[in-house]
């Protein structure tokens, strides 16, 4: 991945001197704690600090806890958590998209400025290359989290899974029409397939990167023969079937949009004659279906029906109150932290309902139930592409360059 953080560091060293942005002063990122988990390490030596111990240490610390999250539910969760335990510790929780969040966290930690203690963030490729490898954030969990989450603690702790599947205009498309993912390259669907621009939505680019891995490329090659009835012949610039699928997708008139919600409404509007479909979040499908838009989604697609990606929960290396941040992280994996309990209130006086009733959000704690009518994480994983943040961080630049070459 291309790195710009050296330039950012220099800029913010100067900025800190001019603005006096914090009492920490300018410094290099702090050494990660001894109990920080590193990507790929074994589960031996897991932090044995309990939730109660972390909460008490956080109270004794007394400093403000700052949380950045790409998901709005975490922001209301901060308020519910503080109110539940009647904490005097200040919580500042802000919803920030993953691209801006990556830049901001890197700037803050590199300069020693006050900033986040805990982040919830997607786009595993950039998280690995721009934050984890630079030492700005680290993976942490204790035994309590591990007992609930298991393997999804590594290489980065998964707080929430989200998924993107093929949504279609139910007036003009039948689910069985979308039974093989190579349909997006078929001339009869030219110019009718949409997705959010992968250059502005990192998880979309991670998906395109992931399908170039040997395993997914092999599945795509077999699916091509199922769809077209002939063996796939790779173009000279395509190393495998994953690259070939990407090339043919773009060459078949892929429409890129700026918002999954806007795309859902565009393809689901009544009175259309086009066979519109799109690879967008299941959450946006459900919300707009409830508003009357004509939408369906395909889950029986060969060899996969879309992709599933994590929102990770990570500690920053210069957190002011790391113990309280860890306690909050532990709480979010409980049933109360995920759904609320029907009594907890947030600051505007309304109840904290967490992820109650949501499609397309699934706790890393797979013991928790999913919304009626939705599938479990295990079921989704069996039919969707899973993001490997290490693979994506190593290969995404190649895929980005490949797409640019095809666009020109």
């Amino acid at each position: 991945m291309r790195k710009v953080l050296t330039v950012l560091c220099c800029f913010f060293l100067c900025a800190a001197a001019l603005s006096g942005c914090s009492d920490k002063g300018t410094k290099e990122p702090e050494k990660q704690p001894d109990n920080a988990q590193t990507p790929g390490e074994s589960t031996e030596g897991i932090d044995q600090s309990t939730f109660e111990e972390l909460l008490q240490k956080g109270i004794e610390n007394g400093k403000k806890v700052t949380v950045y999250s790409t998901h709005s539910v975490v922001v209301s969760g901060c308020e519910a958590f503080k109110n539940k335990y009647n904490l005097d510790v200040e919580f500042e929780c802000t919803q920030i998209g993953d691209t801006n969040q990556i830049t901001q966290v890197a700037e803050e930690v590199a300069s020693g400025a006050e900033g986040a203690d805990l982040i919830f963030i997607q786009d595993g490729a950039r998280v690995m290359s721009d934050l984890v490898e630079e030492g700005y954030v680290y993976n942490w969990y204790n035994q309590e989290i591990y007992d609930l989450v298991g393997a999804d603690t590594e290489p980065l702790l998964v707080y929430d899974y989200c998924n993107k599947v093929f949504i279609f205009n139910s007036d003009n498309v039948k689910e069985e029409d979308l039974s093989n993912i190579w349909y997006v390259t078929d001339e009869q669907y030219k110019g009718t397939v949409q997705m959010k621009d992968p250059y502005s939505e990192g998880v979309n680019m991670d998906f395109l990167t992931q399908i170039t891995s040997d395993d997914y490329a092999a599945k795509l090659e077999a699916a091509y023969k199922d769809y077209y009835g002939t063996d796939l012949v790779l173009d000279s610039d395509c190393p495998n079937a994953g690259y070939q699928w990407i090339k043919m997708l773009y060459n078949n008139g892929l429409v890129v949009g700026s918002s999954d919600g806007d795309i859902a409404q565009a393809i689901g509007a009544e009175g259309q004659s086009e066979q519109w479909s799109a690879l967008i979040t299941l959450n946006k499908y459900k919300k707009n279906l409830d508003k009357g838009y004509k939408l369906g989604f395909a889950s029986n697609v060969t060899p996969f029906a879309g992709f599933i990606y994590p929102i990770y929960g990570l500690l920053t290396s210069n957190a002011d109150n790391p113990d309280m941040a860890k306690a909050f992280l532990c709480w979010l994996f409980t049933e109360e932290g995920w759904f609320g309990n029907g009594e907890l209130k947030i600051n505007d006086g309304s109840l904290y309902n967490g992820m109650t009733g949501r499609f397309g959000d699934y706790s890393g704690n797979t013991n928790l139930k999913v919304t009626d009518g939705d599938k479990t994480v295990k079921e989704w994983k069996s039919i969707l592409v899973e993001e490997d943040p290490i693979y994506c961080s190593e290969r995404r630049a190649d895929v980005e360059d490949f797409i640019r070459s095809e666009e020109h």
Side-chain angles (χ1 to χ4, degrees):
M1 294 293 294
R2 300 170 179 81
K3 295 194 170 44
V4 297
L5 296 177
T6 302
V7 175
L8 289 170
C9 291
C10 294
F11 174 82
F12 279 91
L13 287 174
C14 297
L18 291 172
S19 65
C21 53
S22 91
D23 59 4
K24 295 179 183 177
T26 300
K27 62 180 180 181
E28 293 296 315
E30 295 178 358
K31 179 180 179 294
Q32 293 183 7
D34 292 338
N35 60 5
Q37 279 78 36
T38 55
E41 79 170 33
S42 73
T43 57
E44 295 180 4
I46 296 174
D47 192 337
Q48 297 301 310
S49 300
T50 66
F51 168 78
E52 289 78 10
E53 291 169 345
L54 293 166
L55 183 66
Q56 185 56 42
K57 288 179 181 178
I59 292 172
E60 292 169 359
N61 175 298
K63 293 182 179 179
K64 180 174 73 173
V65 179
T66 302
V67 179
Y68 300 158
S69 174
T70 191
H71 205 306
S72 61
V73 168
V74 173
V75 177
S76 57
C78 286
E79 298 176 6
F81 178 75
K82 185 178 188 298
N83 293 337
K84 173 181 173 61
Y85 292 100
N86 194 27
L87 299 173
D88 288 333
V89 174
E90 180 184 355
F91 274 75
E92 182 178 312
C93 305
T94 308
Q95 185 177 8
I96 307 176
D98 50 284
T99 298
N100 291 335
Q101 195 177 150
I102 288 168
T103 301
Q104 188 165 332
V105 170
E107 292 170 352
E108 289 168 350
V109 181
S111 67
E114 273 189 12
D117 297 70
L118 175 64
I119 65 171
F120 295 87
I121 190 166
Q122 56 193 41
D123 192 354
R126 288 199 60 203
V127 170
M128 287 296 302
S129 63
D130 294 6
L131 296 180
V132 175
E133 292 175 8
E134 297 292 341
Y136 299 141
V137 303
Y138 63 94
N139 198 43
W140 176 89
Y141 50 89
N142 64 356
Q143 188 68 50
E144 292 173 357
I145 291 177
Y146 181 78
D147 289 343
L148 296 174
V149 179
D152 285 337
T153 52
E154 293 290 348
L156 301 174
L157 175 64
V158 177
Y159 156 66
D160 177 23
Y161 279 109
C162 304
N163 53 4
K164 295 204 178 193
V165 297
F166 285 99
I167 311 297
F168 54 86
N169 181 292
S170 56
D171 281 345
N172 301 307
V173 180
K174 298 181 178 64
E175 183 176 357
E176 54 265 32
D177 295 336
L178 312 184
S179 61
N180 188 305
I181 201 169
W182 284 95
Y183 92 91
V184 303
T185 69
D186 194 324
E187 179 71 22
Q188 69 175 309
Y189 298 112
K190 187 176 182 66
T192 66
V193 178
Q194 299 191 41
M195 70 184 297
K196 190 172 178 180
D197 187 353
Y199 288 103
S200 64
E201 178 86 306
V203 294
N204 283 8
M205 190 64 78
D206 290 344
F207 160 66
L208 296 178
T209 302
Q210 192 66 56
I211 64 171
T212 67
S213 67
D214 291 342
D215 181 47
Y216 288 115
K219 292 179 181 179
L220 281 167
E221 185 171 359
Y224 179 93
K225 187 168 185 177
D226 287 344
Y227 190 79
Y228 285 109
T230 60
D231 291 331
L232 174 63
V233 178
L234 298 175
D235 291 344
S236 59
D237 60 343
C238 295
N240 61 34
Y243 282 94
Q244 189 71 54
W245 186 84
I246 294 168
K247 180 177 182 176
M248 293 174 68
L249 169 70
Y250 273 85
N251 288 346
N252 206 40
L254 174 67
V255 179
V256 294
S258 59
S259 161
D260 278 4
D262 290 345
I263 292 172
Q265 293 178 11
I267 70 171
E270 290 188 272
Q272 301 190 71
S273 58
E274 293 285 356
Q275 295 173 301
W276 285 114
S277 63
L279 184 58
I280 58 175
T281 54
L282 185 63
N283 178 261
K284 294 298 187 288
Y285 152 78
K286 183 63 166 62
K287 284 183 176 179
N288 288 289
L289 182 69
D290 292 344
K291 294 177 183 177
Y293 287 90
K294 303 298 183 178
L295 296 168
F297 75 89
S299 58
N300 187 25
V301 183
T302 301
F304 39 78
F307 63 101
I308 189 166
Y309 61 93
I311 295 176
Y312 304 104
L314 303 166
L315 274 291
T316 64
S317 61
N318 67 337
D320 279 330
N321 197 336
D323 292 308
M324 185 62 78
K326 291 173 181 177
F328 176 54
L329 183 59
C330 289
W331 180 76
L332 285 175
F333 285 99
T334 66
E335 185 171 7
E336 181 181 72
W338 184 257
F339 291 118
N341 61 9
E343 298 177 0
L344 275 178
K345 292 186 177 180
I346 56 178
N347 293 349
D348 65 4
S350 63
L351 291 176
Y352 170 66
N353 292 315
M355 299 289 188
T356 301
R358 294 180 67 100
F359 265 55
D361 282 287
Y362 317 92
S363 175
N365 176 6
T366 55
N367 298 309
L368 300 179
K369 63 182 181 181
V370 300
T371 301
D372 290 344
D374 203 344
K375 299 179 186 295
T376 65
V377 170
K378 183 178 180 180
E379 290 173 313
W380 279 121
K381 283 186 174 184
S382 70
I383 60 174
L384 301 178
V385 172
E386 289 188 65
E387 175 185 288
D388 176 353
I390 295 176
Y391 178 86
C392 290
S393 68
E394 293 172 345
R395 303 299 179 89
R396 187 163 122 177
D398 295 335
V399 174
E400 289 177 342
D401 289 343
F402 175 77
I403 294 173
R404 288 192 185 95
S405 70
E406 295 301 324
E407 290 177 326
H408 297 89

